[in-house]
Amino acid sequence: MRSFVRVVETGSFSAIAREENTTQSTISKRVAILESNLGTQLLVRGSRLHSLTEAGQNYYERVVGILRDLEEAESEARSLIATPRGKLRVSVPVMFGTLYIAPVIPEFLSAFPEVQLDLKFSEKMVNLVEEGIDVAIRLGDLKDSSMIARHLGDDDLIIVASPTYLANHSVPQHPGELSAHNCLVYTLGASGNTWTFSDQHSDTTVQVSGNFQGDSGCGLMEMLLADAGISFMPNWLVAPYIQSGQLVHILQDYYKNYPINAVYPLNRNVPLKTKSFMDFIQQKLNQNPIL
């Protein structure tokens, strides 16, 4: 039953086989046995995609809630002994995960030795249900209302450039002057070429342009350090470079709030391993002087 539900959610026998560390044929046999026991076909197999029969759709809608209730009951039973355990799949942004999550993972695993952590680094907004992710760290404003969010902390997006770039160009005194500069744009962010700033009184929105855009914070950092332009970057990423003098924080009265959240699938009860991870990361982020 569990294998059937996960095949429906992901659309893939092979993905579930990887999740459960088994073979695609094993998952296929489990579904075939289920169909045989029920005496009806649930899935129409395709070369790439699988579709539900009418009986399969009705069966899925009934059992998915039953399985969720069962998982919650099992989670509650395990929580009685207050020992987080089991495999925990976590998705983190590449640079934030590398700089702020990975360094504290040994301490987390030492504190919770019965948890097996699978940490997945990705800049893309992964589908938690399809990918079998328990919790994901998301930066910036949230868009996905089908997930539950837990606020872990806040940072700011700030405007930065290298001293050499600023020496070769006029230093902007107001966000409106950014239109005269080569602005480096992060394409995976919600803002894109539209940058919105807050100050003590109101919000300011400007359209920016430049000769470089990319979906990697690492790539934007290299462009900034190569004196290529101005960018709108998270403080957690650029603060060390500002402290070393490699970058300059300009237009310091203008910023954008940059929330840090943990998101997880919609369940009435959160598994203890997931809650323990979120508690731990929130504590570590609150202790970080840059955030």
Side-chain angles (χ1 to χ4, degrees), residues 9 23 32 36 41 51 60 69 72 91 99 101-102 123-124 146 159-160 163-164 174 181 193 244 256 274 288:
E9 291 174 337
T23 64
S36 177
Q41 185 179 8
S51 58
Y60 170 77
D69 289 341
E72 290 172 357
S91 174
L99 294 174
I101 304 299
E123 291 296 335
K124 295 183 179 180
S146 67
I159 313 163
V160 294
T164 300
H174 184 274
H181 286 267
N193 290 83
S244 69
K256 178 177 173 58
T274 303
N288 196 304

Side-chain angles (χ1 to χ4, degrees), residues 157-258:
L157 289 176
I158 61 176
I159 313 163
V160 294
S162 71
T164 300
Y165 175 86
L166 296 174
N168 293 331
H169 302 78
S170 60
V171 179
Q173 302 300 315
H174 184 274
E177 298 176 17
L178 290 172
S179 60
H181 286 267
N182 192 47
C183 292
L184 314 173
V185 173
Y186 181 59
T187 55
L188 290 183
S191 56
N193 290 83
T194 303
W195 292 357
T196 299
F197 312 95
S198 299
D199 60 17
Q200 295 179 348
H201 308 290
S202 62
D203 291 342
T204 301
T205 298
V206 297
Q207 292 295 125
V208 300
S209 61
N211 62 6
F212 179 83
Q213 60 181 19
D215 62 0
S216 166
C218 183
L220 284 177
M221 280 298 309
E222 291 301 319
M223 293 295 290
L224 281 167
L225 297 174
D227 315 317
I230 292 176
S231 196
F232 198 27
M233 301 288 279
N235 181 62
W236 62 260
L237 179 56
V238 299
Y241 298 92
I242 295 173
Q243 293 169 2
S244 69
Q246 293 173 275
L247 293 177
V248 177
H249 180 188
I250 59 176
L251 296 170
Q252 295 190 16
D253 291 334
Y254 298 90
Y255 61 93
K256 178 177 173 58
N257 178 252
Y258 192 65

Side-chain angles (χ1 to χ4, degrees), residues 96 99-101 103-104 154-155 235-236 239 281-291:
F96 186 81
L99 294 174
Y100 293 94
I101 304 299
V104 300
D154 289 283
D155 192 37
N235 181 62
W236 62 260
I281 294 300
Q282 182 172 30
Q283 179 187 33
K284 292 302 176 183
L285 292 181
N286 289 339
Q287 293 172 353
N288 196 304
I290 292 179
L291 300 177

Side-chain angles (χ1 to χ4, degrees), residues 72 75-76 79 134 148 264-265 267-276 278:
E72 290 172 357
S75 176
E76 289 178 1
S79 69
D134 296 294
I148 301 295
Y264 51 94
N267 288 314
R268 288 194 293 272
N269 293 309
V270 182
L272 187 58
K273 61 184 179 181
T274 303
K275 182 179 183 302
S276 298
M278 292 190 294

